Each structure stands twice: as structure tokens, then as C-alpha cells.
Amino acid sequence: MSQPYQINTVRTPGRRAQTAAPRGGVRSRINIPFVVTCALLVVYGLVVVYSAVSADADYSFSRQIGGVVAGIVVMVLIARFDYRRLSDYTTVFLIINVVLILSPHLPVIGVTTMGATSWINVGIQLQPGEFAKITVILLDASIMARYNGRLDDPREYLKALGLMLVPFLCIMTQPDLGTGLVYLFIAAVALVVGGANRKFLLYTLAIGVGLVVLVFVVDEAIKGATGDYVLLKTYQRNRLLVFLDQSGSASTDQGYNLQQAKIAIGSGGLFGRGYLQGSQHTLGILPEAPTDFIFCVLAEEFGFMGALALLALYIALVVEGFQIAAASSDSFGMLVVMCIVGMWLFQILENIGMDCGLMPITGIPLPFMSYGSSFMVVNFALLGFMSSVWAHSKQNSRKAGYAVTR
Amino acid sequence: MVIAVIVGILVFVGLVAALVAVLVLRSRHDEQAGTRVGTQSAHSKTISTVGVSANGGGARVTSSESTSGKTSENVHSRFVAMGVLAAGVFGSLAVRLFDMQVLESQSYRTAADQNAYTTVYTPAPRGYIYDADGIAIVKNRSALTVLADADVIDNHDVMMRLSAVLGIPYNIIRQRVQDTSLGAQSQRIISSDARLRDVAFIQEHSDAFSGISVEQRATRTYPYGALAAHVVGYTGSVSETELANIPSNRNVELGDIVGKSGLESQYDNLLAGEHGERKVVADSSGAVVSIESETLPTRGSDIYLTIKAPVQYVAESALAELIAPNGVIGTGTGVAGAVVAMDVTDGSILTMASYPTYSPATFTGGISQDTWDLYSTASSYYPLLNRAIQGTYPAASTYKAFTGMAGLKYGFADTSRTWTCTGSWDGFGSGDVQKCWKEGGHGTIGFREAIVQSCDTVFYEIAKSFFYAGTSQGGTISDTALQEEIAKFGFGQQTGVDLTGEEAGRIPTPAWKAQYWADVPTEAVWRGGDMTNLVIGQGDVLVTPLQMAVAYGGIATGNLMKPHLLKEVRNANSPDKTAVSVSGEVVATPDVSADNLATVRDALHGVGSASSTITAAFTAQGLDVDDLACKTGTGEVSGKDDYAWFACYMPYDDPKYVVAVMIEQGGGGAAVASPVAAKVMGALFQNASGQLTDVGSVAGSNGQSVAYSGSSSSRSD
């Protein structure tokens, strides 16, 4: 069974193999640029979070450090694990997802705050929907991996689509539209990268847009008949209205949040107001500074240059992700990595976009930046999967010489 | 700056380009290796995982080559799609951030500063008010102000302790802590004038009173109580309406103490100092985080009045002794009164007294509703009213100096002519007999004696002549010729004194009557009786004591002076230098002939010596009646006792002081008003010679009065 690899090695005696070989197995399996990028991101995030939490006693920086440490442990464990063992457990992921996402509805451990049943309390308060992002990615990737990058059969397409929609429907019972949108986006990435027929995708998109419009129309009709909106919550409606009319709605809470977020970003200027000097968040004017509006803290204190630095790190991460995906030894690995990258892209767009008024306001955190230890652990876990994919990619597997055989 | 931006953009564009480049390179690499990838993965799925690559691996499997090639192309395009998505995300975010943080940064920065900084104003002490010789009538004292931070509202224990120590009910303490009317960042005033021992207790136990601080703040104090209260006025917290109407050059903040009446109001812009400004950084809950900058308040300018405090004290004491000898109105003579003394040479008001008076201190820290209600009742005789400028009364016989002069001008009277007074007069033949005050009549009487004796009959004749000479009666002169002559001495117009709320009084005219009685046409007709009432200053005539003083000053000097209370303004920081000094201003020189003026002066000169009452009163003050020119008056008000008037100036040859006294329901002018005028005149001369310098404290109204039985004197001017 080692025969093909010997052949391959002979056939492609590239520079990489030769130079990498003397360094030894473990070291070569570490993607140095990837690690450096991630380390910079995490450190940058901690620096900003430190400033954000220093003005607010409700948050604890050591808890965030704890999240990072726990995350690193989780990441290392996952990285050492061969992700390919997971590719066939579609049904298991589906069950785990449903149980996780619906767990806040359970008695005793379920917690309802601010109208959403999104938390469970098992000693510490957790948001299962956040952890479910991992299993959603694995679920969607495992579904699409079966089709080997080509899905032209309508029945199969509908089946895949239906399975992918299950987590979304579950999370909407909480309800948590923000996380639900993340799930949808992961599914979309899986479908696109997984090779679903272009026509199917366009149809799905059209139907999706149609459904959203329908929700609004029906809701308006219900409001006309009963005087109350039923389908969309008032705050969701307000967020959308604030987004559509940014200047005129500063009097509402949502409008105020957006206004203060924009002031924080804009007042940062080119070089920022200095570390720990941002008046908007240190004075508590900016709401939810360490979590949803962490980017505003960064932009206020480090200015346009600091924001560009963050974007550059994100670009680097995305590029590394693409490389890992392209180098993966199977389509499951590629799909997992692309779904992870896609999810981050969506979160970056949505979080930074909402801060500067490009996107409607939702409670989507910014990867590696926002305060929250479970969010941090989830991101590290995803890094772990990326590492695992990298470690078991073609050239690394060859060098290791054991991976494919499990 | 610009370079940095360009570098930043270039770096970013470079990064995006690198991303695309990597994708392209990667896709080429994939194309090359695509066959293998496709095959491998295809097999790894279709065949069981074991031994996949053993069979496949090679590009030789032709059957799968086309499929795998297609698949890899497919995957390639999907990668490109993701790459475009990523480029789109980062591109749009970067453009947006560039717009906000570089192009529009300044406006956001302004908004952030507005969020962060709040200016809190600390009140400035007001300037002092001195009399002409530097006796302080209004000063400041430092009051111990107990202040609470906003978050004390969460501390029930501290509020309970405050309540116990200060003796203020808990609910009131709570209300005051919640009161944000001075601004959310301002400390709340719990007690504006706390006792020293309470404050000492709070400061000794500061750990039990967290968030509580004590400050010394200036508050108005009045060393002589109610002395000159109507002149200086009182202060109070600025009202919403006042705030809405402040001039642009003033900076008045909510919670400021401003002048509400009198000179405190008139010269508020001089007396009010510059606020201390504390620029603070406040967080979103309103708590002060840090103090950015602070300027200390500057005390307002001091003002010096023309008032002579010792004389003012004499005047107010005289009124009080006369009207309410034991503090209760109704137990003395008259129910209210006013005294005005003026320097005829420059219009300086040396004394302006009004009785009943009030203590401006009752307004310090806010007047209580009970006191306000008391001052608003008829039984208190309205102590807040400044009768010297706001009280309007029939001028009575004091008017004869002016109507007589009018008669002289038009030839309806002259010094050689005589009249016969029988005590009653029916010159119009209407059967409506009018009486002279002297029931038996004055007999045959000349013009001078008519003023000295105040014979009404002579003036009825003069009025009759004016009435029939009017054009409406077929005559040749104006119907209002008499009124015009009276108006030359400032009646019917404001004197222009530097106090707000001055009344203009009234000289009745046919036009005024027609308008006043517009709803009752039968009453609106101007009759001869109106003229005879007018000529003796009764009926619808209304004058203020100040107008009387100015008008008699006009007779004394031939000039109408603009009365004024402000002597000079001195900056609080350099009290030795006079910033503003007010000098006399002649408002008008009445167009009357010197002969007629001399005739009237001569007549007024004779009044004092002809009256034993007046002579006694002035002699008692060490004044020579020969130096006195004066006129009494007894105003008739239906349903009330007579209003006593006395107007005089001294010395006759070289007039210096004019004094006008009015006592509401006091009775006869000579008997009631002249002794008060004599005391004031005496005090003026004594003060001028340096003999009178003592000032005493004057009590404000207690609002008490009993039913007034009247002076029970008949009209006797």
C-alpha cells in the first residue's frame, strides 16, 4: 500500500519535497504562514478586546484569555485528528445539530432572555447555536462531498438542500435570525463550492428572495387585518428600517446604536485616537462595544490604518484557507475549509458592514475579535479543522506516509 | 498624511491583487493536477476507501479523465466565485471605511466630541449694591450648600442619613437628588443654606455620606433688612420664559440666580458675573469621568446707587411709624405710603421708599408659597408693589401749581385779579354745586393766596375759562390746552427712571374719556365738571409719587430731570476704578414763561409759613420754612379715606432737594404727609453735612393688618 506513494515521490521530486523532507514530519505539517496569520489575528483581537473590556466591568479580559487558551487546546486536538473519518457521518451531524440547536427549548437547562431561547445553562451559560456552526459546516460539507463536485440531479439537489435547511429551521424556533443567516450562508457556500448545478442555484436564490418578499407582504397583510406584526419581530423590522433610512431614525434604539457605531469608526480618522483613548467606547456611549461592535473600538483607536491591517489579516487568512482547500486530499476537506472561510467572510462582511451602515444590524460577532469565550473556542475549533485538512493534504500525507491509510 | 493614505490604499490593493493572483495560480496548478485530484476523489467515493489509489492514481484511466477534467474546471470556477466574493467583501468594506475614516472623519470627530464633552456651569457671585456713599445695601454671604452626586439616588442609606441630619423629609431629599434641571452632570442641590453644625457632621462622617459634598456658594444677604427693598429688588432662579428671552450677549444657564425685580433685574447684566465653566467628560450614564478644563467664576460688577441709605432709612422708618406703629397696618395713620426724594440738579434719586415693604431675603433660595400668597392678598396691602413708581393716585391740590401756571399762560388768571370764594360754586349753572374744601369759603382771594390756601373756587373759575375757550365750545384754543400745559411737567408719561414697571399715570382728556367710556356713550361726553375735577387734580387724574417729585423739581429749576438710581458701576476686580458713571440728564425744559414760573414759585414759597402744621413739622427738623417751597394735596378716592400728598423743595433760593410724600388714606396732606416730608428733608440736609450717617435695619411686611378706621380728618389742604 505504500507503493503508490513511492511512485509519486519519484515522479514529483519537487523542490518542496526535498527541502521539506530534512525538517522532519511534524514541522513540515505546520503551515507557517497560516499559523502566523492566525496568531497575529488572535493577538490583535486580544489587544482590542482588552481596550473594549477595560471600560466595562461586565466583561472580564481573563475570561477571554481563558477562551483563547481553551481554543488552542481544542484546535491542537482537532488538528491532530483526521477529519476524513467524519466524512460519512452525515446523519450523525444532522442529529447532533437538531439536538444542539433545540436544546435551549429543554426544561431545566434552557434559558430565555430578550425573547430568544438561545442559551442553555450547564454550570456555565452557553449558546449551542454557536457551537452548532461547527457541526453545520461538517454536515453541509459531508452532504455535498458525496457528489464529488458535481450535482446535476434535481432530486438529489432538493434532498441536499432540504437537509441543509434543517439547522436553519431549528434555529428559527429560538428564534435567532443572525445565526440562521450564517447557517444559510454556509449552506450556500457548500452548494456553490460543492458543484451544484448553476441553474438550480439561481432558482433557489430566486425562490429565496421571493420568500423574503412574501414574508414582508404577508406580515403587512396580517398587520392590516389584526393590527400586529406576527412573522417578523418589531426589533427585526426596526433594524431593517434603520438600515434603509440611516439618517432619519437616530431616535430609535437601533438608530442610536448605528449612529454611535458610525461616529466611533469615523472619529478614528486615519491613525485613530490612540490605544485606550477612544471616547465612544470608554465612555460607554457605544453599546455592546466588546461583542457586536468590537470593530468600532478598533477603528476608533487605531483608525483607518488599523482597520486596513485587520482586513489585511483577514485577506491573508482567506487566502491561506483557499490554499488549504485547494490542496486538500478530498472534496470533503475542501468543502469543510471553504465553508469555514465562507462563514468567516459572511461574518466579517455582516459585522463590519453593519458597523458602517452597509448591512442591517444583526448580532453576528467578528471572528477572532469579538468578546466571547465560546465564540473563541468555536473559531479555534474551525482552525483546528483547517489544520487537520492541511495536515492530511496531498503533499503532507505523502510525507507522513500514513494518512491515507488511516 | 496623504502619503500614508496612498500607501495604505496601495498596500490594500496589493493584497487584493495578491489574493486574485494566488487564486489564478492555484487554479492553474489545479488544472495541471486536476486530473489526479478528480480521479482520486472520484474513486475514493465510488469505490470503497481501501486501496483507492492503488488502482487509480494515474491519468491513464481514460474513462474518468473527461469527467475529472470537467469537475476540476467546475471546482476552479467555484473557487473563482469565492475569490470574487472575498474581493467584493474586502473591497467594499475598505472603500466604505476610507470614506468614513478619511474623507468624512472630521464630522464624525465633531459628533464624538459632542458625545464626550459636557460643559457644566458653576454660578458666579453677583456684584454688591452700595448706596451713594459706599454703604452696602446688598451683599453676598457664603452659604453652605450641600450637594449630592447623581448616583446618590441609588443609595437609600445616604439619603436617609441626609434626611435625618438636615431635617428635610426623605421624599424631598429624593426629589432633589432626582432633579436634573441643572443638567444631568451637575451635582444636585440638597440644601442651599445648611447650618454649620449639620455640615460639620456630614464632613466628619464623610464615609457615611458618600457622594455628598459641601460647597460654599454666594447667596444674597441684606445687612439692613428691607431697606430700599423696592429699589434693589429681589433675585430668584431664572424661569423658563426668562431663559427663552435672554439677550445674545448674556450667558444665563438653567438654575442661575437672576434679578427678578428692581435694580437686580434692571442691571442684571452688570451684577451677574461670568460663570465658571467646567468642561467635563461624561460617560453614557451621565457620570463625570474626568474634568477637561475649568475656569473659575468671576464676580459681577458692583453698582453704586444714588440712594442715601441713612436718608432712605429715615424715610422708611417715618412711613412705618406713621402707618403701622406696632407693625400692624390699620393701627396708625394711613395704610400705605411712598416717599421720593431727588436731587433737582441732576435727577439723582436720594430716597425712594414704599410702604408696606418686604424683605428681599424672603426670596433667597425661593420664596415659600405661603409668603407669596400672603403678599398677594389685599389685607397685606401688597408689599411687593413699589408705590413710588407703580402706585397712581389723584394728584389733588399739588396739581394746582401746574394748572395755575396754565391759567396764567392763557390769561385766565393773573396776580392782579381776585375771585370770591363762598365755599360752593356752580359756575356752569348746572345745579350740580361743587365745593371748596373750606366750607365757609375764602372770601375775596388773589392768585397767590389761592395756591397758598389751596382755594378750589379760584381753580374752578380757571377750569371754566379753559372749558369755554375750547374749540368744541366755540372758543379759540385747543380743548386740551390745560392738559398740554400739565403734560409739560412730565405727567401722563413715564419719567424714564431706571426701574421696570413704572406707571405713566393719566391726564384725563376728552379723547381719553370717549375711549374709556366707549361702551357707555352717555358717560363719554367731556363736561365742564371733568375740567373742574382736572384743575384741582381730582377725578380721573392719576400721578405717581416719582412724577410728582420730578415735576416739582421742574418748578424748582425750570428743568425736568430724568430721575435715576444708578450712580456708578465698578468692576469687582478693581473696585477703585469707576467703570460707568451716570450723570444728570435733562429730559425737557418746560416751555413756560419765567414770570409765570416765578409767580408759582412765589406762591409755593408761601404755603409753608401760612400753615402752622407745616411750619411746626419743618422747624422740628431744624429747617427754616422760609427756605421751603411746598404744596399739600388731599386726594379723594371714592369709598376710601383721603390720600395725603405733600411735595416740596429746598432751599427756595437755590433748590437742591425735592421731596414728594404720599400716604394712602392718610387724610390731610399738611397734617399727615408734611411731617414725613420734613423728616426726610431734614435727613437730607443732615446727611449732606455729614451729621447723619447711621443706617438701621428695616423690617419687611409681616402681612398683618386690621380694619382701618380712617384718619377721621376732613379735607384740609
Side-chain angles (χ1 to χ4, degrees), chain A residues 91-112:
Chain A
T91 323
V92 177
F93 293 139
L94 191 61
I95 292 166
I96 292 174
N97 266 326
V98 171
V99 170
L100 259 185
I101 297 169
L102 292 182
S103 64
H105 290 296
L106 291 173
V108 186
I109 59 167
V111 179
T112 303

Side-chain angles (χ1 to χ4, degrees), chain B residues 139-190:
Chain B
K139 301 205 301 191
N140 296 331
R141 70 185 163 84
S142 60
L144 294 163
T145 307
V146 179
L147 299 161
D149 293 342
D151 55 11
V152 170
I153 195 66
D154 304 323
N155 201 330
H156 175 258
D157 290 348
V158 166
M159 287 194 289
M160 284 299 280
R161 286 180 202 124
L162 274 180
S163 169
V165 170
L166 298 174
I168 302 170
Y170 175 78
N171 285 337
I172 305 287
I173 298 262
R174 208 181 145 75
Q175 266 177 25
R176 289 179 182 172
V177 178
Q178 280 173 326
D179 178 16
T180 57
S181 60
L182 303 187
Q185 279 74 43
S186 290
Q187 290 180 302
R188 323 295 202 238
I189 298 172
I190 304 299

Side-chain angles (χ1 to χ4, degrees), chain A residues 192 260 280 283-284 319 322 356, chain B residues 19 23 78 96 115 283-284:
Chain A
V192 170
Q260 298 311 330
Q280 285 287 96
L283 300 177
V319 171
F322 281 12
C356 49
Chain B
L19 170 68
L23 287 171
R78 305 297 159 106
R96 177 68 173 169
N115 273 344
D283 68 14
S284 60

Side-chain angles (χ1 to χ4, degrees), chain B residues 493-515:
Chain B
Q493 314 142 46
Q494 292 182 335
T495 62
V497 70
D498 44 354
L499 279 176
T500 50
E502 189 193 2
E503 290 288 333
R506 182 203 297 149
I507 309 172
T509 61
W512 166 80
K513 197 179 183 191
Q515 196 224 331

Side-chain angles (χ1 to χ4, degrees), chain A residues 61-73 372-374 376-377 380:
Chain A
F61 184 66
S62 50
R63 207 178 133 86
Q64 183 75 351
I65 295 276
V68 171
V69 171
I72 290 171
V73 172
S373 44
S374 46
M376 197 50 98
V377 169
F380 271 107

